[in-house]
Amino acid sequence: MQHDKVLILDFGSQYTQLIARRVRELNIYSEIHPFNKIPTQIHEYKAVILSGSPMSVRSKDAFHPDLSNIRGQKPVLAVCYGAQYLAHFSGGEVAESNTREYGRANLNFVQENEPFFNNISVGSQVWMSHSDTIKSLPTNGKLLASTHDVENAAYKIEGETTYAIQFHPEVYHSTDGKQLLENFLINIAHVNPDWTPNAFVEETVEELKEKLGNDKVVLGLSGGVDSSVAAMLLHKAIGENLYCIFVNNGLLRKDEFTNVLKQYEGMGLNVKGVDASARFLDALAGLSDPEQKRKAIGRVFIEVFDDEAAQIKDVTWLAQGTIYPDVIESVSATGGPSATIKSHHNVGGLPDFMKLKIVEPLKALFKDEVRRVGASMGMDSQLLGRHPFPGPGLAIRILGDITAEKVRILQEVDAVFINGLKKWELYDKVWQAGAILLPVNSVGVMGDERTYEKVVALRAVESTDGMTADWVDLPYAFLQKVSNDIINKVKGVNRVVYDISSKPPATIEWE
């Protein structure tokens, strides 16, 4: 089945991924491409969306792609920078705003009988995020909506199916944003909303069958959502030709190696568990730098994985649980590598000596879509609801060097925290939670004795995709209980703190 596709041209906005996700919530498939790498097969796309940008259209370095094969040929929705771009380079005027237009605003004018604003009325809240403003509309521009401070909040270009807005419909602060995207994509551009989890499973399994044939595939399972859903898709396609390897790097949560293997037993997968804990801890000895730790873990994982894969006769493919954010984060709006915040463990290819081709059945999906696909295949809700867990495991939650004793302490602390969240029915209200072992000791008193022991920080965040996150306001009674349990039950810890940083400016993990 061929689905209608929407092309999103990325000008570097922090919200570009949100545009793609909002479009997909309408059961419409969307792809993100850098503005200067417009796909040559533009006829394959039913509509085009221009994203926002941190750049000003008035700058001498302003992004200025050639849209001659798009404008007038395809329905276009220009958002923020896109709207200013169309105005500035098509006969309108864009100038620096007297005040930065950022935050909530309300529409105080909406053009009547305009399909673009169907079921959206005066008073609707929108989210602004720009320092320039459109002073005059481009040639053939017609005003569609205004706010108190932004006269040209929305317009269309007559003679084309081109619409432009100064606000961001993709963020949840724009209360009718989804309705506006539906109006444009379904009612105006006539995009067919038929891209569903069931359709994805059916089509992906058929594609995998055709691509892989009778070849053997090896997959590194982590116990997480992405690799598990990838395994089930491959299992549906090639059955016993899928060989799964679950490596214990010694940095998993308490009892996780045993528990995950048991969980996989009921899924019909061919899984081999490999305990390489000592090998990983030896490689980490004396390393404190976060990137060095990640690289050491990645190197040893490949070595262990290669040893195990070599025991499978005639294996030709390596499957990975790579998802769409992993793919698009590796390319910035200018088409080059984005700034490295931290290394991704499953992006960047394989060493030449492995000689395996790569298959990535989830590389078109966001995390929430992976969960929906898993649910459509009847996978266990507890597995699909698991919090994300970093590839390097507890190594990046132990600040400083790694020792077996530090791993033991953090595993015990983490178990108290996670089990507490589940017992208090808070686990499913949190997107990700974990504990961090700090490289400091603090003075404490237990009984009549002075102690000088470790400090741990607890972290719990709410998010949709990990791109941004807010700390969770957990009940004081819960934090009090968990803190007390950790100090009383985990030998070596005498102080517990709670991290109330949001992302940005912090990251979710500490390393």
Side-chain angles (χ1 to χ4, degrees), residues 464-478:
T464 54
D465 51 20
M467 297 297 294
T468 61
D470 288 323
W471 62 279
V472 178
D473 189 5
L474 295 174
Y476 285 163
F478 168 77

Side-chain angles (χ1 to χ4, degrees), residues 75 140 155 160 171 182 208 249 265 267 369 372 420:
N140 296 328
Y155 65 88
E160 304 177 14
V171 302
E182 180 179 327
L208 290 170
N249 59 11
E265 282 178 7
M267 295 170 63
E369 294 171 327
R372 288 199 291 272

Side-chain angles (χ1 to χ4, degrees), residues 98-231:
N98 293 330
T99 58
R100 188 161 188 259
E101 295 162 348
Y102 183 86
R104 295 173 178 84
N106 297 94
L107 300 178
N108 64 2
F109 163 73
V110 174
Q111 179 66 48
E112 293 183 2
N113 301 318
E114 170 53 57
F116 188 60
F117 280 98
N118 187 39
N119 294 323
I120 303 173
S121 58
V122 168
S124 177
Q125 179 178 285
V126 296
W127 182 261
M128 298 287 185
S129 181
H130 54 268
S131 54
D132 287 345
T133 195
I134 298 171
K135 290 292 187 182
S136 62
L137 298 178
T139 303
N140 296 328
K142 179 182 178 181
L143 181 65
L144 297 183
S146 306
T147 69
H148 181 269
D149 295 317
V150 181
E151 179 184 1
N152 298 310
Y155 65 88
K156 69 178 180 181
I157 298 179
E158 296 185 303
E160 304 177 14
T161 311
T162 299
Y163 293 78
I165 50 179
Q166 274 283 261
F167 54 89
H168 289 270
E170 67 271 24
V171 302
Y172 73 89
H173 304 86
S174 292
T175 52
D176 292 315
K178 186 176 181 181
Q179 179 66 58
L180 186 139
L181 290 171
E182 180 179 327
N183 290 344
F184 171 72
L185 292 170
I186 297 176
N187 300 337
I188 294 173
H190 305 298
V191 181
N192 189 17
D194 62 353
W195 196 69
T196 64
N198 287 337
F200 177 84
V201 171
E202 182 180 335
E203 292 159 30
T204 301
V205 168
E206 288 304 311
E207 288 171 5
L208 290 170
K209 285 180 178 178
E210 184 176 342
K211 182 175 186 175
L212 303 174
N214 291 319
D215 291 351
K216 292 180 180 178
V217 179
V218 64
L219 167 68
L221 282 173
S222 68
V225 176
D226 300 338
S227 66
S228 300
V229 173

Side-chain angles (χ1 to χ4, degrees), residues 261-311:
L261 284 175
K262 285 182 180 177
Q263 190 172 38
Y264 283 134
E265 282 178 7
M267 295 170 63
L269 297 175
N270 177 16
V271 183
K272 179 180 181 180
V274 180
D275 189 353
S277 305
R279 193 166 169 178
F280 280 89
L281 288 174
D282 286 346
L284 287 166
L287 297 182
S288 296
D289 179 78
E291 279 299 297
Q292 287 183 2
K293 289 193 287 187
R294 286 175 181 270
K295 287 174 181 176
I297 290 167
R299 173 178 55 80
V300 176
F301 178 83
I302 288 174
E303 291 172 357
V304 172
F305 195 83
D306 186 53
D307 289 346
E308 296 299 324
Q311 297 179 35

Side-chain angles (χ1 to χ4, degrees), residues 16 60-61 85 121 132 143 175 189 211 213 215 218 245 253 259 274 280 326 328 375 393 447 490 496:
T16 302
K60 62 180 177 62
D61 299 320
Y85 172 88
S121 58
D132 287 345
L143 181 65
T175 52
K211 182 175 186 175
D215 291 351
V218 64
I245 299 171
R253 286 180 156 139
N259 293 339
V274 180
F280 280 89
D326 298 333
I328 57 182
V490 183
V496 177

Side-chain angles (χ1 to χ4, degrees), residues 451-504:
T451 63
Y452 191 57
E453 295 179 327
K454 295 294 182 185
V455 180
V456 294
L458 306 182
R459 180 83 157 132
V461 299
E462 54 187 4
S463 180
T464 54
D465 51 20
M467 297 297 294
T468 61
D470 288 323
W471 62 279
V472 178
D473 189 5
L474 295 174
Y476 285 163
F478 168 77
L479 291 172
Q480 182 182 43
K481 170 66 174 168
V482 166
S483 174
N484 192 58
D485 285 349
I486 289 171
I487 291 170
N488 284 328
K489 297 177 180 179
V490 183
K491 185 179 179 181
V493 176
N494 69 358
R495 191 178 300 270
V496 177
V497 298
Y498 186 52
D499 182 353
I500 59 168
S501 308
S502 295
K503 177 186 179 181

